[in-house]
Amino acid sequence: MELHNTNEDVVIAQVNDIFDTFERNGNPENICTCEQCRIDTACYVLNRIDPRYIVSNRGIVRIEQPSIENQQRKADIVVMIHEGIIKINHNKRSSSTHGIKKEERSIHPSPAFNLPAIVGRVFDGTNFAPMEDIDIHLLRDDKLVAMADSNWQNPYHLVTYNEGTFSFWPAPIVTGEVNMHKMFEFSIKINAQGFDTLSYFFKIPVKSEQRSVATFVRSRTFKLPDMYLFPPERENINS
Ligand SMILES: [Zn+2]
């Protein structure tokens, strides 16, 4: 049994629809339509609306009936997406090149482990405010993990509009064979001034595929639990 947030599907589909329309129409406003800006925009909206959970059994998701309420919800989401696009385009990360064409990515014709995008959120544990202006590191074997392309950063620098949400897309790992199962061990390390260092360890099982994927596969998102930073415990100076 799995919980599934149907608003994620709605928001991600709408975001892609809107960005694809920009591209089709020659993008007169010169909006960056790269994958990183798409996921930033989706996160912007998802952090501002309530999740709508359903139970999905073995991947079968009940399709919601169209209703006036759903129509209104969709309209509200579209408004927020446009709001997010403006915010995100004004806050483009300077370290990111943006706009890399999918075809420009190096694609290995050999079998590869295609890792999912890794998404998480980090809060100040003392007041539950989303953290900002800190760096999040994704490590494997104590080394920074290489990203799929230069639109993605590692370390990830959290800015205000991220609302504490960070994301990584690790580069595919080339291997010899198809259908090999491997467990990849990662850790998230957050070293923020005034807080204890947080290290979170996790594993992602991946099956190798015919080739490395050049496009971001949205269904493959690995969500981390929310993380909380706490200030170091004070020594008892009275004793
Ligand atoms: Zn971009």
Side-chain angles (χ1 to χ4, degrees):
M1 189 185 92
E2 257 178 72
L3 282 177
H4 183 82
N5 176 4
T6 59
N7 268 347
E8 268 181 39
D9 304 333
V10 175
V11 169
I12 289 167
Q14 280 293 332
V15 164
N16 280 321
D17 205 45
I18 289 170
F19 278 82
D20 290 348
T21 307
F22 286 152
E23 287 179 349
R24 256 201 316 279
N25 297 340
N27 198 357
E29 293 186 55
N30 204 19
I31 304 280
C32 181
T33 58
C34 79
E35 300 287 339
Q36 178 73 70
C37 284
R38 288 175 189 230
I39 201 167
D40 275 353
T41 306
C43 286
Y44 176 91
V45 177
L46 287 167
N47 285 338
R48 284 166 178 80
I49 59 174
D50 292 328
R52 286 171 62 100
Y53 289 111
I54 58 161
V55 175
S56 68
N57 276 315
R58 293 179 191 153
I60 299 163
V61 175
R62 187 171 48 86
I63 304 299
E64 282 188 56
Q65 295 300 311
S67 67
I68 291 170
E69 193 223 348
N70 284 342
Q71 287 301 315
Q72 183 57 46
R73 181 162 63 108
K74 220 168 159 181
D76 291 344
I77 285 169
V78 169
V79 169
M80 287 183 86
I81 289 171
H82 284 285
E83 191 185 291
I85 287 168
I86 292 164
K87 281 253 164 65
I88 278 140
N89 263 268
H90 282 284
N91 287 291
K92 273 186 193 174
R93 301 188 184 106
S94 53
S95 60
S96 174
T97 52
H98 289 268
I100 276 203
K101 293 276 184 305
K102 281 160 192 153
E103 309 81 64
E104 290 168 19
R105 283 186 196 130
S106 55
I107 301 164
H108 303 277
S110 44
F113 291 103
N114 292 303
L115 290 147
I118 298 166
V119 180
R121 253 187 127 182
V122 58
F123 300 88
D124 179 338
T126 62
N127 59 11
F128 305 107
M131 291 295 300
E132 56 183 67
D133 203 24
I134 58 166
D135 285 328
I136 322 275
H137 299 78
L138 177 68
L139 305 173
R140 187 169 167 236
D141 296 329
D142 279 330
K143 285 194 277 289
L144 279 175
V145 175
M147 295 289 101
D149 66 47
S150 57
N151 285 329
W152 299 76
Q153 347 153 42
N154 188 13
Y156 186 102
H157 186 73
L158 269 187
V159 292
T160 311
Y161 79 84
N162 293 136
E163 297 270 332
T165 301
F166 57 86
S167 55
F168 296 100
W169 188 25
I173 294 162
V174 175
T175 183
E177 260 178 81
V178 181
N179 288 333
M180 283 202 304
H181 291 264
K182 189 171 171 176
M183 196 64 95
F184 289 87
E185 293 183 27
F186 294 101
S187 69
I188 293 285
K189 192 170 183 182
I190 309 174
N191 219 334
Q193 208 184 359
F195 294 92
D196 268 342
T197 300
L198 182 143
S199 289
Y200 178 80
F201 295 86
F202 60 100
K203 294 176 187 176
I204 304 180
V206 186
K207 194 171 89 176
S208 62
E209 292 167 296
Q210 197 61 254
R211 63 192 67 239
S212 60
V213 292
T215 53
F216 178 63
V217 185
R218 281 127 195 137
S219 56
R220 295 189 197 177
T221 306
F222 190 86
K223 269 205 223 81
L224 299 169
D226 289 346
M227 297 176 195
Y228 298 89
L229 299 183
F230 291 95
E233 265 183 59
R234 289 247 196 96
E235 308 241 337
N236 190 343
I237 48 170
N238 295 325
S239 61

